[in-house]
Amino acid sequence: MAAGSHQETGSRAALDALIALIEARGLGVGDRLPPELDLAAALGCGRSTIREILKSWENLGLVSRNKGAGTRITAEISNQSLLLPVTVKIEADSLYRTLEVRRPLEIEAARLACLRGTDEDRRHIAQRANELLADYHAGLDWRPADHRFHAAIHAASHNPLFAQIIRQVHKAFDTLYEAPFGRPHLGQSSIPIHRDLADAVIAGDAEKAEEIMAAILDITHEEARRVVEDGQ
């Protein structure tokens, strides 16, 4: 197993242990977590692992961190439902927050790509769409091609902040949840309509592009909701 895989496994084990600790101590919104060193000692992991988890949680709005006041819980982390494992609930909350932030950014980027995209941008988007659909139909891991496709739309907006901010949003979630709910291809049923999105952007149809981008995000949200409701 590669070193990166060992590190990822260790981080996930520490994450699960931290959630269990919070749940066992009955900590809720407004409560302060123990210092990083105490958490590391209690969970049997390195302080850097704890810091990575808390930083990701801060980015996702689950905790607030202040040098003087410590780390406080700002969203529910304990499991209040007997139907859901706490890890699933936290992943769901984190994913929903990520999608809420991503939604207006992706839709606006698609709209601007229709208005500002050059012939070269349109050729690039068509190429990336072809690659994405080819991987999808071949049963390959389509996620890298999906990232490249959306990156092409961000680039066609000719505002580099879209790509930068969306990358930061993804990084906050992906640091700990590379495969939401153990399903790395969440949102797969939206892949076929990525072709429609590419066609709309290439045609300069901003209204259609916004509509399809919203549908893609809705599909991902709906798939996540079904997983949570099934308690998987």
Side-chain angles (χ1 to χ4, degrees):
M1 183 180 293
S5 299
H6 283 298
Q7 182 176 2
E8 181 180 316
T9 302
S11 296
R12 186 51 190 253
L15 170 67
D16 292 340
L18 178 56
I19 293 170
L21 181 149
I22 291 170
E23 190 175 28
R25 296 188 182 185
L27 299 178
V29 176
D31 291 333
R32 183 159 56 183
L33 293 177
E36 290 178 2
L37 283 174
D38 292 351
L39 288 173
L43 302 180
C45 63
R47 183 179 182 182
S48 61
T49 299
I50 296 297
R51 185 180 296 116
E52 178 185 13
I53 293 172
L54 295 180
K55 181 61 177 176
S56 295
W57 278 7
E58 181 183 26
N59 291 337
L60 292 167
L62 297 176
V63 300
S64 64
R65 307 180 74 200
N66 183 286
K67 189 173 183 180
T71 300
R72 290 190 180 275
I73 298 173
T74 54
E76 183 184 349
I77 295 178
S78 62
N79 182 18
Q80 298 300 319
S81 170
L82 297 177
L83 299 177
L84 284 177
V86 66
T87 50
V88 171
K89 184 180 187 305
I90 289 179
E91 286 186 40
D93 289 344
S94 300
L95 180 59
Y96 294 156
R97 287 187 178 91
T98 301
L99 290 172
E100 285 176 357
V101 174
R102 181 185 170 192
R103 185 183 186 90
L105 294 171
E106 293 282 14
I107 291 174
E108 180 65 6
R111 185 184 75 84
L112 291 176
C114 291
L115 301 177
R116 299 175 177 175
T118 64
D119 288 342
E120 180 60 28
D121 290 328
R122 288 188 281 273
R123 283 193 293 271
H124 195 205
I125 289 170
Q127 178 184 2
R128 294 310 189 194
N130 290 338
E131 293 172 355
L132 172 58
L133 271 295
D135 286 352
Y136 169 76
H137 289 299
L140 302 175
D141 183 357
W142 47 262
R143 290 175 299 169
D146 182 55
H147 288 311
R148 291 192 294 270
F149 171 75
H150 286 283
I153 292 179
H154 302 156
S157 76
H158 291 274
N159 183 336
L161 289 179
F162 282 108
Q164 293 174 22
I165 295 172
I166 291 171
R167 275 199 304 268
Q168 290 171 3
V169 171
H170 277 297
K171 184 177 180 180
F173 185 84
D174 291 344
T175 297
L176 295 176
Y177 306 113
E178 183 180 0
F181 318 118
R183 300 188 179 193
H185 295 104
L186 192 71
Q188 177 164 286
S189 58
S190 73
I191 298 303
I193 65 172
H194 281 60
R195 169 70 70 189
D196 299 327
L197 175 59
D199 290 344
V201 174
I202 291 169
D205 189 338
E207 183 176 352
K208 187 67 173 178
E210 291 182 58
E211 176 185 330
I212 298 171
M213 182 64 81
I216 288 170
L217 296 168
D218 286 343
I219 289 170
T220 302
H221 189 284
E222 177 62 17
E223 288 189 15
R225 185 190 64 78
R226 286 201 300 268
V227 172
V228 173
E229 288 187 351
D230 290 342
Q232 298 179 16

